[in-house]
Amino acid sequence: MTDRDHEARAPGNSRRAFHFNAGFLTQSRVRRILELAGYELRVGQPGAQDDVIVWGHSPYAPRGEAAAEASGAHLVRVEDAFLRGLHPGRAKGDTPLGLIIDRKGIYFDAARPSDLETLLATHPLDDTALLNRARSVIARLQASHLSKFSATDPTLEPPDPGYVLVVDQTKDDASVRLGGANRDTFREMLYWAAEDHPGARILIKTHPESEAGGRPGYLSAEDFDGYGNRVELCRAPHSPWQLFEGAVGVYTVSSQMGFEAILAGHRPVTFGQPFYSGWGLTGDRQPLSRRQRRLTRAQLAAACLILYPTWYDPYRDRLAEIEDVLGALEAMAREAREDGQGYTAFGAWSWKRPHLRDYFGRHGPFRFAPTANAAVATDRPVLVWAGAETDALRHEAEARDVPLIRVEDGFLRSRGLGAHLVVPLSLALDDLGIYFDPSRESRLERLIAEASLMPADALSRAEALVARILRAGLTKYSVGSDAALPEAGDRPVILVPGQVEDDASIRKGTRAIATNADLLAWARETYPDAYLVYKPHPDVEAGLRQGAVPSDLLAQADHISRGANPDVLMRQINRIVTMTSGMGFEAILRGVPVTTLGTPFYSGWGLSDDHGDIPARRKARPTVAALAHAVLIAYPRYLDPVTSLPCPVEVAVDRLAAGEGFQPNRMMRFLARLQEWRGRISAR
């Protein structure tokens, strides 16, 4: 965000902004961003001390231009920011994640300098922290396949490499007209792309609005005569970043894809006068003499993506930084890409079904099947609650070539227990196996191995996330009292967390030691001089699940910590001994040594002392940050309990820390009491 934005938002410094376009009345998101940026939107006649606000160079902009000219008011132009969302506004009416608010011109009008051009020409752009942020932004855009419109499908097979990428645009686009170009410019671009690369294929990328059946492009079949079979239209929703990888050259008039091509390492040839031309990063057929400075990719990205736009946080209803928007867009794009085919769901308890639909049913058909056979007898992927998966279901899905995807709670779940029917904040999908079953590879294992190869700067987000979690004292359920442990003297304090003994992670991930009693006995025998703290699992304490330790064996512990907050406990101990408890992962994040007797997802990577059967495939050696990236960022999906939008993990952490959105409704409370009553009856 620029200094002018901070000035506009300063208390008592709101500016009256008159508009003459009904869109400013109907587009609530646009109005809200402008209000947060310090513009008091009004209708009526402006005065010389006021602003007149118009949408870019839209057909309605002349009304505002005339009013500003007549009154002496200052003209402000507004446009979508360079990361808009999933779709163009005309295609599906998505609301923008940011705006360009330009008080000098607008970035695509080459006739006069804009605020962006002024930034690029005069700002020092030499701050190390700013440029490092810009490089991280570029890396995230590329890794997550994000662009102005991110409803792309990175799983599509990209065209064979070796082509020249020619970018078409929509007819009557203002950036073409105001960038010194017209239809003939596109024909000229096609000609030179062919001349500069004799014999190479020419791949013409159409605009998303053209692909959706909306506005036509400039290039059509009649323009391809004379090029033989060299020209190929690319209408599929390929990720621009994948198209750049296979391109030997990129040609554009004024498309934002040219800017993205620069970020991908290309030197695109421009035939118009886009905002990114003239800075030494493009081959310009229409150079602008007033642009003489030479910039790096990081400097260009810093100005265009960090300093120039006004970004919006849809979860907290406030202005944001580019990193917040990247997190939001990553979550939204992941949801759209993974769920587009729809699902047939099977194996979930009835109380879980509404939030399963909320998580996975927004972008494609979603229904529940009464039986496993009915689930696989569809043409859609099958979503099965991991504990309900059977060998028969898996074999039937394989025979029918139906994708089988397992779903389970994530590792930052809620404030409250699942057994009390508190809706989960995170769920994990796994198309390979499931994280608690070491007998086969899981998607989480692959993600951990991949994260171990990430450069250190790519893990800065994970490091910041871990620090945020520790400051807030968060764990999977984030419940319990803050009671201190009794004084242990000089004895090492070892925490032994009890588990639900019929839990899938025990059934799948343990062998010799599979009960809490045996776990406690092993800890006492191995650490005879330690001060043992046994923490019963909350569901077991409530009588809802199996795992109670007989009183005579419970006496092996020096202290029974009932209802304690796991974070508070882990601040007072020297080691955890566990079978497969998720508390082992939480201890690793906190730098507490961990001994595992089973095979939890976090064992075998060199971060714990492991006594279970470790799969030979776990050869990677991730850092704690890399493990956290895989487990908390890449693997689960999060749904904001306040806005019901897919969200990044940072929003989930904020909700957990504040306790927002986790109150079960009356029906949930009734079901929870009923479930607890049944558990107590069965335990007698």
Side-chain angles (χ1 to χ4, degrees), residues 546-559:
Q546 298 178 17
V549 177
S551 56
D552 57 326
L553 299 178
L554 200 59
Q556 297 175 97
D558 296 286
H559 176 71

Side-chain angles (χ1 to χ4, degrees), residues 105 159-160 175 209 553 560:
D160 292 335
S175 75
E209 287 191 75
L553 299 178
I560 311 300

Side-chain angles (χ1 to χ4, degrees), residues 571-646:
R571 296 174 190 272
Q572 305 174 71
I573 64 171
N574 302 107
R575 176 175 293 274
I576 276 185
V577 175
T578 181
M579 293 180 283
T580 62
S581 171
M583 283 187 67
F585 168 67
E586 294 164 349
I588 289 173
L589 297 186
R590 289 160 171 80
V592 177
V594 177
T595 297
T596 67
L597 305 184
T599 314
F601 65 88
Y602 51 83
S603 67
W605 307 106
L607 298 172
S608 53
D609 174 27
D610 303 317
H611 296 259
D613 297 327
I614 303 301
R617 61 182 178 268
R618 296 188 185 179
K619 297 177 180 178
R621 289 296 176 262
T623 62
V624 173
L627 181 70
H629 188 282
V631 175
L632 298 175
I633 297 175
Y635 192 50
R637 281 169 47 175
Y638 298 88
L639 193 70
D640 179 19
V642 175
T643 65
S644 297
L645 294 172

Side-chain angles (χ1 to χ4, degrees), residues 481-498:
S481 67
D482 295 345
L485 292 174
E487 186 62 43
D490 295 332
R491 300 166 68 187
V493 181
I494 293 180
L495 176 63
V496 182

Side-chain angles (χ1 to χ4, degrees), residues 290-301:
R290 66 175 185 267
R291 297 180 186 173
Q292 296 294 326
R293 191 180 185 187
R294 294 296 174 258
L295 300 173
T296 65
R297 283 190 300 154
Q299 288 174 316
L300 182 70

Side-chain angles (χ1 to χ4, degrees), residues 316 383 509:
R316 307 171 184 91
L383 200 67

Side-chain angles (χ1 to χ4, degrees), residues 170 192 225 243 249 280 294-295 317 362 366 398 430 456 581 664 683:
T170 55
W192 282 110
D225 292 341
L243 294 180
R294 294 296 174 258
L295 300 173
D317 186 32
R362 267 193 273 238
F366 191 97
E398 291 173 355
D430 202 309
S581 171

Side-chain angles (χ1 to χ4, degrees), residues 233-250:
L233 277 176
C234 179
R235 298 184 183 278
H238 287 283
S239 162
W241 301 94
Q242 289 179 324
L243 294 180
F244 296 143
E245 286 181 12
V248 296
V250 178

